[in-house]
Amino acid sequence: MIATILIHCPDQPGIIHSVTGFIHKRGGNVVYLDQHVEKEDRVFFMRLQADFRQDTWEETTFREAFGKGPATTYAMEWRLYLEDRSRMALFVSKYNHCLYDLLSRYEAGELNATIPFILSNHPDCEPIARQFDIPYYCVPVTPESREKAEARQLELLREHQVDCIVLARYMQIIGPSLIAAYPNRILNIHHSFLPAFAGAKPYHAAFARGVKIIGATSHYVTEELDEGPIIAQDVTPVSHMHTVSDFIAKGRDLEKIVLARAVQLHLHRKTLVYNNKTVIFA
């Protein structure tokens, strides 16, 4: 049985020795360890995985002992994850390229998750959900119904015991109650240009400006629109030889790749958020 521990705390000598010694005394074998020190703030970050025999493992006892031991000694903020598959809901509007990509990876067994349902504010993607045999809920959102829609979303998320949400090009602002219920567990994808272009047709605007690079950014959702901690980014070059259609195609390819990369990092517990930034472990 593999246990994964994510830790951050004030940096000081002895942290790694204390944690690994604690695990060794309880019959665990450390199979992975990665650490980072933010020198300016003197903050220590660590991701550790340990293998325990079933006859030496008891979760409640481990949590209590670790909490009273190393966690208290070093003033740690820490999370423990076991070998379980996250329950991941997908939200989508009309653009289906990210949805198809994630579902294809899911069907191929590439994602350490189960997908209990897909939610949309439009009916357009329901045939895709049927194709992959996943329940589909259409919850329309208007300025007048936004509060009611979010209540329905929360109801579905709780009913299906969802752990995290992926916005696979869901073109609605996520409300504060949903963000509060899933802090650093809602992943989004959006185009990111240098310079950035807002509005309904960013690729057209980028083409008109003659940009030389287009990109995509995946981040956790916060109440500050598109300002959450960044998980993954990538760019690709473009030139005067490319058309608007080329820009759109290249952009969508990047969106798929970057979102999938962010989802994988999140599902494998390789992200740790601190001060609106992420530490991404190898």
Side-chain angles (χ1 to χ4, degrees):
M1 199 281 303
I2 300 292
T4 301
I5 306 173
L6 293 179
I7 292 167
H8 76 270
C9 61
D11 185 39
Q12 55 186 298
I15 300 172
I16 295 176
H17 179 268
S18 176
V19 173
T20 55
F22 177 91
I23 288 170
H24 176 70
K25 288 178 182 178
R26 282 154 184 79
N29 178 41
V30 175
V31 295
Y32 170 95
L33 191 153
D34 190 10
Q35 59 86 29
H36 168 70
V37 175
E38 192 76 28
K39 293 185 178 180
E40 288 187 5
D41 297 332
R42 298 187 58 82
V43 179
F44 175 87
F45 302 89
M46 182 166 69
R47 178 180 184 268
L48 178 147
Q49 289 185 302
D51 190 6
F52 290 88
R53 299 194 315 271
Q54 290 294 340
D55 61 343
T56 66
W57 174 258
E58 207 289 311
E59 182 181 353
T60 302
T61 302
F62 183 94
R63 287 183 181 276
E64 290 178 353
F66 190 87
K68 293 176 181 177
T72 295
T73 301
Y74 295 98
M76 293 177 180
E77 292 192 31
W78 64 285
R79 298 196 300 274
L80 170 69
Y81 300 99
L82 305 181
E83 282 183 312
D84 54 346
R85 295 168 66 83
S86 294
R87 294 178 62 78
M88 179 177 76
L90 301 180
F91 283 28
V92 65
S93 290
K94 292 185 176 182
Y95 295 119
N96 59 29
H97 53 290
C98 288
L99 178 66
Y100 260 123
D101 183 73
L102 289 173
L103 291 177
S104 296
R105 294 172 187 273
Y106 175 64
E107 193 170 63
E110 295 180 15
L111 301 181
N112 184 36
T114 57
I115 300 176
F117 68 86
I118 298 167
L119 183 142
S120 180
N121 56 323
H122 297 284
D124 300 56
C125 292
E126 186 169 6
I128 302 173
R130 287 201 301 268
Q131 178 184 342
F132 288 88
D133 195 27
I134 296 174
Y136 186 89
Y137 297 97
C138 183
V139 181
V141 180
T142 66
E144 295 75 26
S145 70
R146 185 173 300 278
E147 194 171 312
K148 183 178 179 181
E150 188 166 323
R152 175 59 175 155
Q153 291 169 359
L154 281 167
E155 179 184 7
L156 288 168
L157 292 165
R158 290 166 180 154
E159 177 185 333
H160 290 274
Q161 299 179 314
V162 166
D163 299 306
C164 63
I165 303 164
V166 177
L167 308 182
R169 291 307 305 269
Y170 181 68
M171 311 305 288
Q172 290 289 325
I173 294 174
I174 302 300
S177 60
L178 199 60
I179 293 170
Y182 288 86
N184 299 323
R185 289 186 290 155
I186 306 175
L187 290 75
N188 193 20
I189 184 70
H190 67 83
H191 61 84
S192 57
F193 296 114
L194 299 174
F197 293 94
K201 293 186 175 181
Y203 294 105
H204 292 73
F207 175 81
R209 183 69 180 273
V211 302
K212 301 298 182 269
I213 293 176
I214 60 174
T217 296
S218 182
H219 61 90
Y220 288 116
V221 174
T222 62
E223 290 194 42
E224 293 74 34
L225 185 62
D226 291 340
E227 296 290 336
I230 294 170
I231 309 166
Q233 293 180 294
D234 207 348
V235 296
T236 190
V238 291
S239 76
H240 63 279
M241 298 290 291
H242 293 108
T243 65
V244 172
S245 295
D246 293 332
F247 273 47
I248 293 171
K250 282 175 168 284
R252 288 181 178 176
D253 280 345
L254 273 179
E255 289 168 8
K256 291 186 293 185
I257 292 167
V258 172
L259 181 59
R261 187 183 304 157
V263 168
Q264 292 279 25
L265 288 168
H266 179 85
L267 294 177
H268 288 282
R269 323 298 187 187
K270 292 189 174 183
T271 67
L272 201 160
V273 176
Y274 178 79
N275 279 354
N276 207 45
K277 294 196 300 184
T278 55
V279 174
I280 304 295
F281 294 102

